[in-house]
Amino acid sequence: MAPPDAHPEDSQQWSLESLNKAYQQGYMAGLTGQTIDQQPYPAEVLAAAWEAGWDDGHDQYELQRPSRIA
């Protein structure tokens, strides 16, 4: 049973596998320069995993971009 203050989508089942998949999808999105607003998960836990992956992937994307000298 979910805690009384939990959101309905938080009570959905998630596994380590689904968290890893969400993270990997977010990582690839960040790595390829996609915007964070393309996050596809309604469940907060999976959304957080996707966003963590996006953050890591986006960091790598920024490192790979040529530096802009003004």
Side-chain angles (χ1 to χ4, degrees):
M1 181 175 206
D5 60 343
H7 297 285
E9 71 262 9
D10 289 340
S11 64
Q12 292 178 355
Q13 294 295 320
W14 48 267
S15 64
L16 185 56
E17 183 178 336
S18 64
L19 289 172
N20 188 44
K21 180 179 176 182
Y23 175 90
Q24 291 298 324
Q25 289 175 341
Y27 184 86
M28 290 307 296
L31 190 62
T32 58
Q34 296 177 33
T35 60
I36 198 166
D37 63 354
Q38 295 177 330
Q39 189 281 113
Y41 293 98
E44 288 184 28
V45 173
L46 294 176
W50 188 95
E51 290 173 4
W54 184 90
D55 283 339
D56 292 344
H58 189 71
D59 287 347
Q60 289 300 309
Y61 173 76
E62 289 294 323
L63 290 173
Q64 293 173 5
R65 293 176 66 187
S67 61
R68 298 178 189 179
I69 300 173

